Amino acid sequence: MALGRGGQLALAIFAFGALAFVFGVVAENKKPAAGIPVQGKGFVTCRYPSDPTIALGSLGAIVFPFSAVLGWFAVFYNYNGVSVPRSALFKNTALFWFFIISVGLSIIGEIMMIWATASEGFIRSKNVHHDLDTDCATAKTGLFGGAAFVALDAALMWLICIMLTQNAREDFLDVSDPKGDYGQVTTSDIDAISAARRNDV
């Protein structure tokens, strides 16, 4: 069964969020706890094992924004060429708050992923220390993992936004019950009743 445009967007949002999650978790697991200090004359050089931490963190930071941008696009996308004003969409209180949470998580997740990657890269590039007691530490443990989980949470929040957006669109366009509410009488029904009464007289 072929997915509609909304389903395709939802799948892409989750795929990019899941990729960022995987890259972040693997980067956290591959990151060494510390480098190996090598004593010199008045300085210490930190040697770090060859690992893909920085590359994986960079990939996570590149991939994750696609999830957020697609989520934003999915909320305001004109499905079937029908535009719904933003003011009408955000009358749905749940959509409004989930949208705010999704944007916030997306920003926090991206900042955390960039911060972890940049910190690790900076530490490894500045590997000569004049403090002979240096322990050759790496970036703070948990940054990559935390960024990964925030990225996944943000992707899931965007999926909820898509579902709430669909509900808000249906409410605005009133397509959920094309026959009207129970007890609703049209003018043609009134005209038919009036004509029948005149014929009886």
Side-chain angles (χ1 to χ4, degrees), residues 30 90 123 128 131-132 149:
K30 295 292 185 182
F90 290 130
I123 289 169
V128 177
D131 179 6
L132 301 181
F149 278 99

Side-chain angles (χ1 to χ4, degrees), residues 37-96:
V38 178
Q39 295 287 339
K41 291 185 178 180
F43 64 91
V44 173
T45 302
C46 293
R47 291 184 181 173
Y48 296 96
S50 178
D51 64 88
T53 301
I54 295 173
L56 289 169
S58 300
L59 286 172
I62 291 169
V63 166
F64 178 57
F66 287 101
S67 178
V69 169
L70 286 173
W72 181 286
F73 177 75
V75 171
F76 301 114
Y77 177 71
N78 295 335
Y79 292 91
N80 300 322
V82 179
S83 176
V84 176
R86 293 183 183 187
S87 58
L89 287 176
F90 290 130
K91 280 183 181 177
N92 184 321
T93 306
L95 173 59
F96 174 78

Side-chain angles (χ1 to χ4, degrees), residues 5 8-9 13 33 36 41 44 54 65 76 80-81 97 104 107 115 121 139 145 149 161 166 169 177 180 191:
R5 184 58 60 90
Q8 292 172 351
L9 284 170
I13 290 166
I36 301 168
K41 291 185 178 180
V44 173
I54 295 173
F76 301 114
N80 300 322
W97 286 111
I107 292 171
W115 182 21
F149 278 99
C161 279
Q166 184 62 32
R169 286 177 180 278
D177 187 5
D191 292 340

